[in-house]
Amino acid sequence: NAAKGIGIAVGAAATSCALAYGATRLFVTPQEPKPFPSERSRRDTFDGLAKKWDQTVRFDEWMAGINRSRRRMCQRAEGDVLEVAIGSARNLAFYSSAKVKSVTGIDFSRAMLEVADGKRADLKPIPLKLKLCSSQKIDFDDNTFDTVVDTFGVCSFESPVESLREMRRVVKEDGQVLLLEHGSSNWEIVQGLLNRTTQRHVERFGCYPNRDIGRLVREAGLYIVLEERKHFGSTYMLVCRKNAPVEEEE
């Protein structure tokens, strides 16, 4: 129906959230303010969705061209790669064995990691390590990885700036942070829709669909080298560096 089509076009962008956009209605009753689900509650949501997640989001991601965006982003990765919030590991097939030495995936959902573990063949011959870990406290030393990747994870982090700062900490000085995210729209009517459905969205799918991703990234201290947006501005592809380039004195 029309509402579903609009929902897909607006934001069928996320491993974390594609189905909810497909189900969003244009006209909904304003929600009564109430506490958002806790981190533990949202983790339980992801655990419950893990086994059926790929089937749940496959059609919406295909409609929105998300796999093309995943491929474009992952083809930029090189060296030792950390994928944060790896989820059901929908990116593994897109890494280049000519450029990537290893991939380490972390997630706070054990059930999602179990699904990811079953996809090792998608990454061969690149070795894969998986670790149960919170994005707010990434259990690796400073300057460990050449590339840090996150696709549709910032929307679901309890403290997104803290998580982004952790990504910045573990990437090498000359490394890169690659983000494919969905969040706030630069179309007022679309942003209004996202704002009105946020409570239901978080409760059902564990993520916040209306976050200003660019602002969060800059607040975390990352320098955005490349920014592309589509789906009414609600899908972001960001290539980031740890620091802004040093201007050479004349």
Side-chain angles (χ1 to χ4, degrees):
N1 57 37
K4 181 172 182 178
I6 291 172
I8 290 172
V10 168
T15 294
S16 13
C17 308
L19 179 67
Y21 280 120
T24 296
R25 298 174 182 174
L26 273 175
F27 302 102
V28 295
T29 302
Q31 302 165 34
E32 292 294 328
K34 58 181 179 179
F36 284 107
S38 66
E39 175 90 344
R40 184 169 187 173
S41 175
R42 290 184 302 106
R43 184 190 63 199
D44 291 344
T45 296
F46 286 117
D47 283 346
L49 292 170
K51 290 183 178 180
K52 58 185 178 182
W53 187 251
D54 287 340
Q55 181 181 354
T56 298
V57 303
R58 185 175 293 117
F59 178 75
D60 283 357
E61 290 205 351
W62 175 76
M63 284 287 290
I66 296 305
N67 276 348
R68 290 193 298 273
S69 297
R70 289 181 184 275
R71 182 182 299 276
R72 286 184 60 212
M73 180 63 76
C74 291
Q75 287 293 304
R76 290 178 173 271
E78 56 186 23
D80 293 315
V81 176
L82 173 67
E83 185 168 337
V84 179
I86 193 171
S88 64
R90 295 182 64 80
N91 294 326
L92 293 188
F94 303 135
Y95 290 108
S96 169
S97 60
K99 299 167 63 178
V100 174
K101 295 179 181 178
S102 69
V103 174
T104 299
I106 64 172
D107 204 283
F108 77 158
S109 167
R110 188 180 299 277
M112 283 288 189
L113 288 176
E114 290 172 356
V115 175
D117 189 57
K119 296 183 178 180
R120 290 179 179 274
D122 292 349
L123 189 62
K124 287 184 176 179
I126 304 170
L128 173 66
K129 298 178 182 178
L130 295 172
K131 187 170 187 175
L132 186 67
C133 182
S134 168
S135 65
Q136 297 177 49
K137 190 174 182 180
I138 298 176
D139 191 18
F140 293 99
D141 293 336
D142 297 359
N143 306 310
T144 297
F145 297 96
D146 300 290
T147 304
V148 176
V149 174
D150 180 85
T151 57
F152 307 113
V154 172
C155 65
S156 64
F157 297 149
E158 184 77 6
S159 302
V161 173
E162 185 176 346
S163 297
L164 287 163
R165 284 175 178 159
E166 279 290 275
M167 295 184 209
R168 181 178 180 274
R169 179 183 65 79
V170 300
V171 75
K172 293 179 180 178
E173 291 295 333
D174 60 348
Q176 58 182 340
V177 177
L178 307 177
L179 303 173
L180 179 61
E181 307 290 347
H182 81 115
S184 62
S185 170
N186 48 18
W187 287 48
E188 184 176 353
I189 188 172
V190 175
Q191 185 61 24
L193 172 64
L194 296 177
N195 291 338
R196 288 165 66 88
T197 57
T198 292
Q199 182 76 46
R200 292 185 180 93
H201 204 80
V202 177
E203 291 173 353
R204 292 188 63 191
F205 296 97
C207 75
Y208 299 80
N210 62 343
R211 287 177 168 172
D212 186 338
I213 303 299
R215 180 184 63 78
L216 295 173
V217 169
R218 293 181 178 91
E219 187 176 341
L222 289 164
Y223 177 77
I224 299 175
V225 178
L226 173 66
E227 178 175 356
E228 296 181 9
R229 294 174 70 174
K230 59 183 181 179
H231 301 129
F232 303 102
S234 67
T235 302
Y236 300 65
M237 188 173 82
L238 305 176
V239 178
C240 308
R241 296 289 181 183
K242 192 165 190 169
N243 298 298
V246 177
E247 297 183 4
E248 297 182 2
E249 296 184 1
E250 296 183 359

